Amino acid sequence: MAGDIVPVIQCHHEAVGVLDHMPGRKYLQILNDEGVYSSEEIRDSKSCLALKFFHHLFKEQTGYWLSFLRRKLTKFEYSSTTFCLFDMEGGAGKGALESFLGAFVGSKRVTSWKYDSFKAKFTSDIENKFFVFLNEYPDDYKERKSNTDRIKDLTGSPISKIEKKSIDPYDTPNHATYIITSNRVSIEIKEGDRRFCIANCDEKFDKVFGGRSYFDRMTSDEELKKLAIYLKYNVEDLSDLDYMQPPTSLAKEVFLEDNESTIDGIVKDMANRGWDKLLALDKDILIPEHDIVDLSALSLALHLERSTTLTKE
């Protein structure tokens, strides 16, 4: 019945120390502290505006994302899971996700890492962060594997080694979850991968939500409180296995298929032989490597045939 009081579980011991030193902890305390919420509040939380936004970005992986978010923000455990949001058209709202999470967990717990910092040895930017965004990294085929190897280094242990200039390295708990947001393919994922959770955004934020006003309403105090209550009472926690190994999505299957395609194989061979430099010489005859990756096999065949004809002439 409306107005009934629902008992709230005790705060997780793992969360206490983290929350004690957390700026912007208001909404996370709803998840972790003792408190009472009426059945009406719990029912109303299902209308939370963030749910539509999450579905827009994560598609079939929305349920996993919500369960992952719940467990992460109640137990604060390490996980190697890395989220990849690909938006080939641009404008889906990947940047809005970074701002939204900053509003929900505290801006000091979210950061965006530039590529030169990502590749460097210094890691002070990620200390005590919950979410680290990697946005629009180079899609050069030769860089994809090294990008993936770097992510594996960063997410491979529950302990992060923090390195700062003029200070001896030291260890801290690794709370960070990495979120790759890109209009290009900048990582290499192979069959059997158990680390990456992939979603493909295919609609523009403004078209779906009507612009900035939706984001402003979504990050209001009322709506953020709704999300916290929704996560607490309407989302199931993940098992230990699922927290570490995301399910394979259709988007991931397509990604793996494209990653192992004949076209990618040709490009990889060209890159290894140094032919990618030749491809950039004349865009009217030959095209750059990053454009070849996006062509279908038929388009590539026609292009190579045209190139051969022009060369002979």
Side-chain angles (χ1 to χ4, degrees):
M1 294 177 61
D4 290 346
I5 300 300
V6 179
V8 179
I9 60 175
Q10 296 287 330
C11 177
H12 291 286
H13 293 298
E14 297 90 337
V16 176
V18 179
L19 287 173
D20 281 347
H21 302 91
M22 181 187 297
R25 63 186 182 178
K26 176 179 180 179
Y27 308 108
L28 297 189
Q29 284 186 316
I30 293 175
L31 283 166
N32 292 283
D33 287 1
E34 293 184 7
V36 289
Y37 299 97
S38 68
S39 57
E40 183 178 2
E41 286 177 299
I42 295 172
R43 184 174 61 251
D44 288 347
S45 72
K46 295 180 181 180
S47 65
C48 173
L49 296 180
L51 299 180
K52 182 178 179 180
F53 175 59
F54 287 157
H55 186 266
H56 164 72
L57 288 178
F58 292 93
K59 296 293 188 291
E60 62 182 298
Q61 295 285 35
T62 303
Y64 178 79
W65 162 252
L66 289 169
S67 292
F68 182 92
L69 195 62
R70 183 188 191 281
R71 176 156 180 164
K72 178 178 181 67
L73 300 180
T74 54
K75 298 186 177 180
F76 301 97
E77 297 170 318
Y78 154 78
S79 173
S80 62
T81 295
T82 299
F83 291 88
C84 306
L85 301 179
F86 291 112
D87 170 21
M88 296 309 178
E89 297 299 323
K94 305 182 301 297
L97 177 63
E98 180 181 346
S99 299
F100 178 84
L101 290 175
F104 189 59
V105 306
S107 59
K108 292 185 178 181
R109 293 288 177 166
V110 180
T111 192
S112 181
W113 221 5
K114 294 182 179 179
Y115 190 64
D116 55 351
S117 298
F118 169 72
K119 300 292 278 190
K121 69 174 182 177
F122 297 113
T123 53
S124 59
D125 290 348
I126 63 173
E127 185 176 6
N128 297 322
K129 295 298 187 290
F130 286 163
F131 298 100
V132 178
F133 281 78
L134 311 177
N135 184 37
E136 298 305 341
Y137 284 6
D139 59 350
D140 187 316
Y141 199 101
K142 291 175 289 187
E143 294 294 326
R144 291 187 202 174
K145 186 178 186 304
S146 65
N147 291 345
T148 304
D149 288 343
R150 177 61 169 153
I151 291 171
K152 289 180 178 179
D153 288 341
L154 292 165
T155 61
S157 169
I159 299 297
S160 289
K161 184 173 289 297
I162 301 300
E163 297 192 45
K164 300 180 180 181
K165 292 181 180 180
S166 305
I167 297 178
D168 291 338
Y170 56 92
D171 293 338
T172 63
N174 185 1
H175 293 301
T177 291
Y178 291 81
I179 302 178
I180 300 170
T181 60
S182 182
N183 299 343
R184 300 166 293 184
V185 177
S186 55
I187 55 173
E188 180 181 84
I189 302 177
K190 295 185 177 180
E191 194 71 41
D193 168 76
R194 298 179 179 181
R195 181 183 307 265
F196 292 98
C197 178
I198 295 181
N200 184 30
C201 318
D202 55 4
E203 296 179 282
K204 292 186 180 297
F205 180 90
D206 287 351
K207 180 179 179 181
V208 176
F209 300 103
R212 175 79 190 188
S213 60
Y214 190 93
F215 177 83
D216 292 340
R217 288 186 291 127
M218 183 172 66
T219 53
S220 66
D221 179 70
E222 178 185 1
E223 286 296 322
L224 293 175
K225 181 180 177 180
K226 278 186 181 180
L227 176 61
I229 294 173
Y230 183 85
L231 290 174
K232 188 175 188 69
Y233 292 105
N234 296 298
V235 174
E236 293 185 4
D237 207 351
L238 287 178
S239 67
D240 292 344
L241 178 63
D242 289 338
Y243 188 61
M244 292 295 293
Q245 297 182 13
T248 297
S249 63
L250 177 60
K252 186 170 185 176
E253 291 176 356
V254 171
F255 182 95
L256 289 170
E257 190 174 308
D258 289 344
N259 225 29
E260 298 295 331
S261 69
T262 302
I263 298 170
D264 249 11
I266 292 173
V267 173
K268 184 175 182 179
D269 183 59
M270 288 178 171
N272 290 337
R273 294 167 181 260
W275 290 1
D276 54 321
K277 296 177 181 177
L278 172 63
L279 290 173
L281 289 178
D282 190 339
K283 293 184 179 180
D284 292 332
I285 298 178
L286 295 173
I287 56 179
E289 169 193 331
H290 65 270
D291 288 337
I292 288 182
V293 177
D294 295 329
L295 292 175
S296 66
L298 176 60
S299 297
L300 178 59
L302 291 173
H303 173 75
L304 292 176
E305 181 180 354
R306 176 175 176 271
S307 301
T308 302
T309 303
L310 290 175
T311 302
K312 289 179 179 179
E313 292 177 354

